[in-house]
Amino acid sequence: MRKCFVTVCVISLFLLFGGLNVYATTNYGFETTDLSENEVDQIWRNINLRKSSDLKSLDSIELPIVSFDVSKDGIILLGFKENKIAISNSNNVLTFFEFDNDGSFYVQWNDGNILLMLVRGSIVIEFSQDGQLINMVKTDDSSVKNNSIWNQIAKKKSVNIGQASYYVKNDMGIFNFLASSYSQLITEDSQGNQTILYDVNNTQMTKTIVVFFAVIVFAAVVVLMILVQFVKFRKR
């Protein structure tokens, strides 16, 4: 009986502590695990974050938006295709970053710091506006809560700050369904007055149409080649 009691206690303790995931405490909302110093150093070197001293106007970037956020002070954080990040005050780029990455990414404010969220590897990197690394964690892929957070961030199209609303959209008509990013950033005040802060819609629409018809032509050529081979086979 005593052995059975000890065995039951051991199994119970294992299920209580060993069977649960232990997460590091963070303020990002995710259930996360800490990375080793070597892993952090390796990832930080690989993304090779670069701060540009060549500040430019927002319109001169000419790339579609993949993610955005707005601080309580109305400072806009934008993530663009080709792994570029801009901090803007609605008119001018205050800070501009580039980095290396092979997958999708999102950006968010964390007080005055920037969260760079890499989908591949489920990595969240916090760095300052000077480009200094603050923190880095890995989110748990098996967490239902984490999956929900990632989905919310991926679908984020608007931010409300005070009485102002900021949102991203495409204006390409029937070609909107082909877009995986956004061509316009718009702000709207409490009176319903809209101001377009960033607009690459025409450029993006042209590229989308070219790609669309290129795919159609390629598909048509493939089908034609299959039909020719089929006809040749029937004539044998």
Side-chain angles (χ1 to χ4, degrees):
M1 287 293 293
R2 186 175 180 181
K3 289 184 177 180
C4 291
F5 177 76
V6 171
T7 302
V8 170
C9 288
V10 171
I11 293 174
S12 298
L13 289 171
F14 173 79
L15 292 175
L16 181 60
F17 296 104
L20 296 176
N21 290 323
V22 179
Y23 301 105
T25 302
T26 68
N27 58 352
Y28 307 143
F30 289 100
E31 293 175 337
T32 66
T33 55
D34 291 327
L35 296 165
S36 68
E37 289 187 11
N38 288 336
E39 289 174 320
V40 170
D41 290 340
Q42 184 65 49
I43 294 171
W44 186 243
R45 285 198 302 269
N46 287 345
I47 69 168
N48 188 26
L49 183 73
R50 305 174 296 279
K51 181 180 178 181
S52 174
S53 57
D54 182 22
L55 301 183
K56 56 189 74 175
S57 66
L58 194 58
D59 288 335
S60 66
I61 297 177
E62 298 182 341
L63 290 169
I65 299 167
V66 297
S67 179
F68 89 110
D69 198 10
V70 184
S71 72
K72 295 178 181 179
D73 299 324
I75 303 300
I76 304 168
L77 177 64
L78 293 161
F80 297 95
K81 275 194 172 182
E82 300 182 11
N83 301 325
K84 301 184 190 304
I85 300 172
I87 301 174
S88 170
N89 62 357
S90 298
N91 296 313
N92 299 313
V93 174
L94 304 176
T95 311
F96 190 75
F97 296 98
E98 297 180 75
F99 63 99
D100 298 330
N101 175 48
D102 294 329
S104 302
F105 74 95
Y106 306 107
V107 291
Q108 300 279 287
W109 282 116
N110 186 48
D111 294 327
N113 294 328
I114 299 163
L115 295 183
L116 173 58
M117 314 170 86
L118 306 178
V119 175
R120 178 173 292 182
S122 303
I123 302 296
V124 178
I125 302 169
E126 180 179 6
F127 62 91
S128 69
Q129 295 185 40
D130 292 327
Q132 299 300 311
L133 177 64
I134 304 297
N135 190 28
M136 185 186 302
V137 294
K138 178 179 175 59
T139 69
D140 178 40
D141 292 330
S142 64
S143 168
V144 175
K145 177 183 176 182
N146 286 356
N147 291 335
S148 176
I149 295 174
W150 279 109
N151 288 335
Q152 290 175 14
I153 294 171
K155 295 176 180 179
K156 181 177 179 180
K157 296 182 181 179
S158 64
V159 176
N160 295 319
I161 301 296
Q163 295 183 332
S165 176
Y166 298 79
Y167 60 93
V168 288
K169 60 172 289 190
N170 291 303
D171 189 18
M172 299 186 295
I174 62 173
F175 294 102
N176 279 346
F177 78 97
L178 294 174
S180 59
S181 53
Y182 304 99
S183 59
Q184 294 180 325
L185 172 64
I186 300 171
T187 182
E188 182 176 324
D189 62 23
S190 59
Q191 305 300 316
N193 300 312
Q194 296 181 346
T195 302
I196 298 177
L197 303 178
Y198 183 73
D199 187 0
V200 291
N201 194 76
N202 291 337
T203 301
Q204 193 62 18
M205 186 171 183
T206 299
K207 291 180 179 179
T208 301
I209 292 174
V210 169
V211 170
F212 176 76
F213 282 105
V215 171
I216 294 296
V217 170
F218 176 78
V221 170
V222 171
V223 171
L224 181 61
M225 291 176 63
I226 293 174
L227 289 175
V228 169
Q229 294 300 320
F230 179 75
V231 171
K232 289 182 177 179
F233 179 79
R234 291 291 300 272
K235 288 182 176 180
R236 291 180 181 178

